[in-house]
């Protein structure tokens, strides 16, 4: 998938664990792991907004597009 999720980077910068982030955002650690590991097919804007609020960042700090990393078509 050409979209890379950089939640790990922001977690390290904020010195926050996945469990704490999941609790503060209001999602399960398992669902956060799916998103964090790039296995999610979609993310709700409400979830993205909550992540940005808790991590005090912008959506672009969490998501980036990488050319040539797609499946083709």
């Amino acid at each position: 998938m050409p979209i890379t999720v950089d939640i790990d980077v922001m977690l390290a910068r904020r010195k926050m664990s996945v469990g704490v982030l999941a609790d503060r955002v209001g999602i399960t650690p398992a669902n956060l792991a799916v998103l964090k590991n790039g296995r999610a097919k979609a993310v709700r804007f409400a979830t993205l907004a909550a992540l940005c609020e808790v991590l005090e960042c912008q959506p672009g700090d969490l998501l980036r597009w990488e050319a040539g990393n797609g499946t083709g078509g």
Side-chain angles (χ1 to χ4, degrees):
M1 178 181 289
I3 301 296
T4 300
V5 181
D6 288 327
I7 291 176
D8 283 337
V9 173
M10 293 308 297
L11 282 172
R13 288 182 184 168
R14 303 297 186 248
K15 296 180 176 147
M16 187 181 297
S17 71
V18 172
V20 169
L21 179 60
D23 185 53
R24 290 184 184 174
V25 170
I27 61 176
T28 66
N31 283 340
L32 182 57
V34 167
L35 179 60
K36 183 174 77 76
N37 295 324
R39 295 188 316 260
K41 301 276 186 202
V43 60
R44 293 178 184 265
F45 282 144
T47 302
L48 183 58
L51 287 166
C52 290
E53 182 176 352
V54 171
L55 292 170
E56 298 178 352
C57 66
Q58 294 295 313
D61 296 326
L62 300 177
L63 304 173
R64 65 187 152 89
W65 178 77
E66 292 186 352
N69 198 14
T71 58

